[in-house]
Amino acid sequence: MERIERVKEAGGWLERYRHDSTSCNCPMTFSVYLPPQAQQGPVPSLYWLSGLTCTDDNFRVKAGAQRYAAELGLALVIPDTSPRGEEVPDAPERYDLGQGAGFYVDATRAPWSHHYQMYRYVTRELPALVEGALPLVPGLRSISGHSMGGHGALVCALREPGLYRSVSAFAPICHPVRCGWGEGCFSAYLGEDRRAWEAYDATCLVRAGAEPIELLIDQGTADEFLAEQLLPEALEQACAERDFPLRLRRQPDYDHSYHFIASFIGEHLAYHARALGR
């Protein structure tokens, strides 16, 4: 992997890398924040999954997370949201399909399936890459994300027991098989069999018997996508049916933006730091 950027921040280093991905069959870019404690030895990591239209740059610039990560001794691993490049299929007339909208699934339908393997990339290839090359503790990781990335974080944690010590999300797409964003992407990436979609739906996974792990979710009550796209009440009901541990915090008057994320990211990082033994 090739380091293409390095910036000193909050006593540590914000770095950006490019590598040839065997999962996505194209060059992929990601960022890592190494806190000052990484200069003395390996540190645990928090994987952050961003939302629709984003790259790795949105979170590292807008969330203000690096200051908290430096205090807590956490590395931040920030992948892109999809494969990119001239050879990668896209839907340029849409913001919610194609490049910038990988939805953290492994596509099975042409023309998407050759490149859009974001679930495998996030859960397998990227951890093996960064934990083998950087001062990170192998296997000591948590995961979080926003919107489409919040969906991805929940699904990764529910499908991979033991892979992450903790999981949280900001305004996640909780029931994508029943919302426009999810239906549009899943039908393209996975085909028309809705039963196949349920493997990438947090609400369906809880109902299907996923191993319990506490879910911490913050949702703004003024979020413009709350009623039609995010559907937290569906996940809340599924968790209640199974007595599944869920902390859904409805934050009055907050919207879907990074102002919302920046307001609570410190609490989320502290939550993960406790789970990671920091």
Side-chain angles (χ1 to χ4, degrees), residues 146 223-224 255-262:
H146 170 234
D223 191 317
E224 61 270 38
D255 61 15
H256 199 70
S257 73
Y258 265 85
H259 300 290
F260 168 49
I261 297 170

Side-chain angles (χ1 to χ4, degrees), residues 174 203 231-241 244 246 248 250:
C174 293
T203 299
L231 310 181
E233 65 279 358
L235 179 60
E236 191 172 37
Q237 181 179 348
C239 288
E241 291 168 359
F244 200 98
L246 168 67
L248 174 56
R250 291 177 169 87

Side-chain angles (χ1 to χ4, degrees), residues 34-49:
L34 294 173
Q37 295 86 342
Q39 299 173 28
Q40 280 73 53
V43 294
S45 53
L46 174 69
Y47 287 69
W48 173 269
L49 307 185

Side-chain angles (χ1 to χ4, degrees), residues 48 58-66 68 258 261-263 265:
W48 173 269
N58 297 75
F59 178 74
R60 68 183 202 146
V61 171
K62 296 179 179 180
Q66 288 87 305
Y68 298 107
Y258 265 85
I261 297 170
S263 298
I265 192 64

Side-chain angles (χ1 to χ4, degrees), residues 164-201:
Y164 306 99
R165 297 295 180 92
S166 54
V167 57
S168 72
F170 290 83
I173 304 170
C174 293
H175 200 18
V177 304
R178 296 298 180 189
C179 77
W181 283 343
E183 290 176 336
C185 281
F186 285 3
S187 61
Y189 297 151
L190 304 172
E192 298 303 329
D193 182 1
R194 287 178 171 261
R195 291 172 298 179
W197 301 4
E198 295 178 1
Y200 298 103
D201 182 301

Side-chain angles (χ1 to χ4, degrees), residues 95-158:
Y95 74 93
D96 58 347
L97 179 67
Q99 296 187 34
F103 239 89
Y104 305 102
V105 305
D106 285 344
T108 57
R109 187 180 181 190
W112 312 99
S113 55
H114 184 62
H115 295 287
Y116 284 75
Q117 301 292 311
M118 287 300 296
Y119 180 82
R120 178 155 50 105
Y121 178 73
V122 166
T123 60
R124 296 291 183 266
E125 183 178 359
L126 187 60
L129 183 70
V130 297
E131 293 174 7
L134 299 174
L136 307 179
V137 181
L140 195 55
R141 64 182 83 91
S142 293
I143 192 166
S144 186
H146 170 234
S147 193
M148 179 185 73
H151 139 78
L154 295 176
V155 166
C156 289
L158 291 169

